[in-house]
Amino acid sequence: MLWVGVLLLVCSPWVMVSRAYDLDPDDPKSVKYVAGRVAQKLMEFYPGENPGRIPGLFDYPPYYWWEAGAVFGALVDYWYYTGDTTYNGPTTRALIHQAGPGKNYMPHNQTSAMGNDDQAFWALAAMNAAEKKFPDPPPEEPQWLALVQAVFNLQVKRLREEEATYNCGGGLRWQAIPLNGGYDYKNTISNGCFFQLGARLARYTGNDTYAEWAEKIWDWTEKIGFITPEYSIIDGGWINATSNCTTRSEIRWSYNAGVYLGGAAFMYDYTKKDIWKERIDKMLDYTFGYFFPGNNDIMVESACETLNPPSCNVDQRSFKAYLSRFLTYVRILAPWTAPRIATKIKASSIAAAKRCSRGQDQNTCGLRWYTPVDEWEGMWGVGEQLAALEVIQSNLVKESPEEFADSKTGTSIGDPSAGGDVELDLSHGLKPVTTADKGGAGTLTGLVALAMLGLSWWLMKP
Ligand SMILES: *[C@@H]1O[C@H](CO)[C@@H](O)[C@H](O)[C@H]1NC(C)=O
Ligand SMILES: *[C@@H]1O[C@H](CO)[C@@H](O)[C@H](O)[C@H]1NC(C)=O
Ligand SMILES: *[C@@H]1O[C@H](CO)[C@@H](O)[C@H](O)[C@H]1NC(C)=O
Ligand SMILES: *[C@@H]1O[C@H](CO)[C@@H](O)[C@H](O)[C@H]1NC(C)=O
């Protein structure tokens, strides 16, 4: 259905743009207005509040579970930056429902393709809720901080297993479950999310154990070469009989740069150590060169947007959202970076806004922000809306570390031992997976077949 819709739009005369949003990034009224329009369109794609639908899920296909976690993380910031409470109800319901019965973002329905990164994107949303003092759930429901700790503890357990086997010398695998396609891949985003969660938990709770894990995973990422000598960040490497993370995908996605930059900024704020300052500066230099390639300061998903037509898949079309979000956190926590980052965010948000009055409703964002305004590649959806929303709303940030609460100023209740002994119940929710179009991991059809084999095994089980 959706794809028929895409086709119709592409082939129709409505691609002509008749009215563009003229964003003034220095005028909060202008930013709130355009952010509101973009958010409204984003939530038109969301069925989770409709009768009979499940809170927290967008339609799959094409939208994987993780991207919903990313959306609700962005909506916490939307409320924080704009004061608009319109989406607080849906956000709370989604973040609580998808925590699942284990209160650890491992709901049974999603285990067939449960990546450590997928789980972490929901945890990042919960972390955001704790730090931004998003209204706490009622006491009988899981609490934001405890949810993050549950995910973190589960992933520590998985990491320990990797360390014990010397596979690539450590590091999280992409998938959490051996039967899933992608279990033989160590992707940088899973490790980067874990790194950032560790840094944020350390800063929020003051518990140094989280920071130790964060340092450990940074060191591993660097040692294995996924952070390159010039501080670019590549997608990951395979772990199997012939590859000990030596066969790699060298693609550089903006979300990997964003998640490591964001984590490093929290580490800097927590430790105030020069080493984190140096790392931030080196990563920023690379990021500014590769993801803002023109002299116009406009953000580009260079690996896929520069092709004609762009080759970005549904996941990848949202990645600029996370680079925007995390650059903005760097701007807050590493204040010397603020002027440079602000320039890039302003220019990118003006450009993005101009491309958000596409489509028949004249309220739909396009993918590319750097091509001529009256040229539309015909792509639209949750990712395009989300990327535009995050870059636009980022203009409302205040450059003060008090933007993020901690256990002294915040209210969220934690549980240091949450999630630790709840692992997966594999007999639930095992469905065939199609991970082939997952961001940057390449084609994994063979593994999907393997997962299907696993499925039939479970089905044949008495
Ligand atoms: C899992 O699927 C069932 C059946 O569709 C649904 O009732 C339930 O809410 C889902 N759980 C989650 C966490 O999405
Ligand atoms: C794989 O790499 C890790 C770290 O680089 C090393 O400790 C381990 O021995 C290697 N394993 C094999 C089988 O080469
Ligand atoms: C290991 O993974 C790489 C990358 O997918 C693949 O080319 C290679 O054939 C795999 N080796 C084995 C033994 O599965
Ligand atoms: C710090 O975090 C670790 C890891 O979750 C936990 O085992 C420990 O109890 C925590 N310490 C305190 C004082 O809360």
Side-chain angles (χ1 to χ4, degrees), residues 165-170 220 223-224 239-241 243-246:
T165 55
Y166 303 106
N167 286 330
C168 307
W220 175 81
K223 200 168 157 212
I224 205 74
I239 170 71
N240 61 24
S243 169
N244 190 17
C245 284
T246 42

Side-chain angles (χ1 to χ4, degrees), residues 121-150:
F121 264 88
W122 284 90
L124 287 168
M127 192 73 228
N128 227 3
E131 289 165 343
K132 299 287 165 55
K133 298 201 249 184
F134 192 72
D136 289 316
E140 67 276 14
E141 302 284 4
Q143 303 298 305
W144 308 133
L145 179 60
L147 282 167
V148 184
Q149 289 167 318

Side-chain angles (χ1 to χ4, degrees), residues 54-55 57 97-98 100 107 109-110:
I54 301 173
L57 300 185
H97 192 72
Q98 291 305 317
N109 300 346
Q110 303 300 332

Side-chain angles (χ1 to χ4, degrees), residues 1-12 14 378 380:
M1 275 280 278
L2 194 89
W3 300 112
V4 175
V6 173
L7 228 102
L8 280 175
L9 263 167
V10 172
C11 303
S12 74
W14 304 317
W380 51 271

Side-chain angles (χ1 to χ4, degrees), residues 97-109:
H97 192 72
Q98 291 305 317
K103 303 181 179 180
N104 56 6
Y105 291 120
M106 293 287 288
H108 296 322
N109 300 346

Side-chain angles (χ1 to χ4, degrees), residues 91-397:
T91 299
T92 301
R93 284 187 280 279
L95 289 176
I96 289 177
H97 192 72
Q98 291 305 317
K103 303 181 179 180
N104 56 6
Y105 291 120
M106 293 287 288
H108 296 322
N109 300 346
Q110 303 300 332
T111 51
S112 62
M114 173 63 69
N116 284 303
D117 49 355
D118 304 326
Q119 198 188 17
F121 264 88
W122 284 90
L124 287 168
M127 192 73 228
N128 227 3
E131 289 165 343
K132 299 287 165 55
K133 298 201 249 184
F134 192 72
D136 289 316
E140 67 276 14
E141 302 284 4
Q143 303 298 305
W144 308 133
L145 179 60
L147 282 167
V148 184
Q149 289 167 318
V151 170
F152 190 84
N153 291 342
L154 276 177
Q155 298 197 349
V156 163
K157 224 171 106 181
R158 292 172 198 146
L159 254 173
R160 287 215 164 102
E161 283 162 25
E162 292 309 302
E163 289 173 354
T165 55
Y166 303 106
N167 286 330
C168 307
L172 283 168
R173 292 169 182 260
W174 174 21
Q175 290 292 311
I177 299 158
L179 280 173
N180 288 349
Y183 188 71
D184 71 339
Y185 191 63
K186 296 213 171 177
N187 65 344
T188 319
I189 191 65
S190 291
N191 289 285
C193 286
F194 178 83
F195 164 65
Q196 192 183 108
L197 287 173
R200 291 170 79 166
L201 283 172
R203 185 188 176 280
Y204 191 96
T205 64
N207 183 337
D208 217 41
T209 308
Y210 298 118
E212 282 162 20
W213 277 108
E215 295 211 20
K216 190 174 198 178
I217 219 68
W218 172 282
D219 291 346
W220 175 81
T221 318
E222 212 171 7
K223 200 168 157 212
I224 205 74
F226 295 172
I227 297 173
T228 68
E230 79 263 28
Y231 280 72
S232 78
I233 298 174
I234 66 165
D235 191 71
W238 279 269
I239 170 71
N240 61 24
T242 53
S243 169
N244 190 17
C245 284
T246 42
T247 307
R248 295 149 185 242
S249 165
E250 307 257 341
I251 304 178
R252 287 153 292 170
W253 298 110
S254 63
Y255 74 160
N256 281 318
V259 82
Y260 276 88
L261 268 165
F266 279 93
M267 284 306 282
Y268 174 74
D269 191 59
Y270 178 67
T271 64
K272 294 290 186 301
K273 281 192 185 150
D274 281 346
I275 181 86
W276 290 108
K277 188 171 190 292
E278 283 161 32
R279 287 167 174 169
I280 290 167
D281 284 340
K282 286 183 190 160
M283 280 192 286
L284 268 187
D285 283 344
Y286 187 86
T287 295
F288 286 161
Y290 188 73
F291 298 108
F292 299 82
N295 51 16
N296 51 11
D297 294 324
I298 296 177
M299 193 185 294
V300 179
E301 191 63 51
S302 295
C304 63
E305 283 184 10
T306 51
L307 302 176
N308 257 317
S311 64
C312 315
N313 70 21
V314 171
D315 289 333
Q316 293 153 6
R317 287 184 223 162
S318 73
F319 287 176
K320 296 200 296 289
Y322 324 120
L323 183 56
S324 302
R325 185 194 303 183
F326 297 135
L327 276 177
T328 299
Y329 295 178
V330 176
R331 176 176 164 188
I332 300 168
L333 297 169
W336 72 93
T337 66
R340 286 167 86 199
I341 292 176
T343 304
K344 306 278 183 205
I345 292 292
K346 280 183 194 180
S348 299
S349 63
I350 292 169
K354 279 198 172 49
R355 288 147 181 92
C356 280
S357 47
R358 307 217 189 275
Q360 195 184 11
D361 61 7
Q362 298 191 10
N363 193 36
T364 298
C365 299
L367 173 69
R368 295 192 283 201
W369 304 339
Y370 73 96
T371 49
V373 168
D374 49 4
E375 264 177 48
W376 181 23
E377 69 289 317
M379 293 181 169
W380 51 271
V382 169
E384 287 83 346
Q385 291 305 126
L386 190 60
L389 177 64
E390 295 232 38
V391 76
I392 291 166
Q393 70 187 14
S394 288
N395 288 300
L396 294 167
V397 76

